[in-house]
Amino acid sequence: MDLAPLVEPAAQFTDAELRRYARHLNVPEIGGEDQLRLKNARVLCVGAGGLGSPALLYLAAAGVGTLGVVDDDAVDASNLQRQVIHGGTALGASKTASVAARITDLNPLVRVVENRERVTVDNALEVLAGYDLVLGGTDNFETRYLVSDACELAGVPHVWGSILRFDGPVLGVLGRAPRGPSPPARRGPHRHRAPRGRGAGVERADGPVPRSILWPIMSGTALSMSSRYPDR
């Protein structure tokens, strides 16, 4: 299905951008116009863990102009075998600071906005404000449902993915017109269906293999919705 791009193209490239994105510009299905759309795009990633961290790397490398990241956690040694944006020098630092440092090193042309907080009923609409698309990779049901509700109310497209051991879905939801000032609801799934115990959360596969499959789908979906990237 052909989707209308979410953002208008930027006015022009800088010399640095022309050099960096030269390979994209030579691809007929992308070209200059869609790369300029990516330059203007503002994508918010909720969660800088096993799914969010590699997706953020790919979106930054592809040239998304503004990347917001929401996470209230700090980098722990147990994160490093799957949360590939973080490194040993970031241990103990906030995940948002780790993300900002890594993306600045990878692509200094990208602006990073840090949100060192948890998404709540009280701040969800404020956190999402100003973004063209939200990428969800959180590891708990409450935040996942809350972000989904907030995106629906704000009319912001939402791409989310989740992992349970070796299985995981990815879904892209187009935004509707904003539905007014009503706050997002606090709700949850049928809890008796959720696995319990250590290593049984929404995003708790112990190895990187499932994520290596899911995050390219998530980031590719985000790129195709932000511009007219070929979704295939």
Side-chain angles (χ1 to χ4, degrees), residues 50-73:
L51 289 174
S53 64
L56 282 163
L57 286 172
Y58 191 71
L59 295 176
V64 172
T66 299
L67 288 173
V69 56
V70 184
D71 203 304
D72 67 341
D73 203 359

Side-chain angles (χ1 to χ4, degrees), residues 1-24:
M1 178 177 65
D2 291 333
L3 301 176
L6 298 176
V7 296
E8 293 299 315
Q12 60 185 8
F13 293 112
T14 64
D15 290 342
E17 290 165 342
L18 288 172
R19 290 191 297 270
R20 179 174 289 268
Y21 307 129
R23 297 297 184 268
H24 278 179

Side-chain angles (χ1 to χ4, degrees), residues 2-6 224-225 227-228:
D2 291 333
L3 301 176
L6 298 176
S224 68
M225 293 173 69
S227 65
R228 289 177 300 191

Side-chain angles (χ1 to χ4, degrees), residues 139-195:
D139 63 358
N140 69 84
F141 285 117
E142 182 178 0
T143 303
R144 182 177 301 282
Y145 275 70
L146 185 59
V147 170
S148 179
D149 285 348
C151 287
E152 173 72 10
L153 289 171
V156 179
H158 181 205
V159 177
W160 63 263
S162 65
I163 287 179
L164 178 59
R165 300 190 180 98
F166 291 94
D167 298 299
V170 175
L171 179 67
V173 182
L174 294 175
R176 300 179 180 178
R179 296 175 57 184
S182 301
R186 184 186 299 277
R187 60 189 176 93
H190 300 291
R191 296 190 179 277
H192 67 277
R193 296 182 181 178

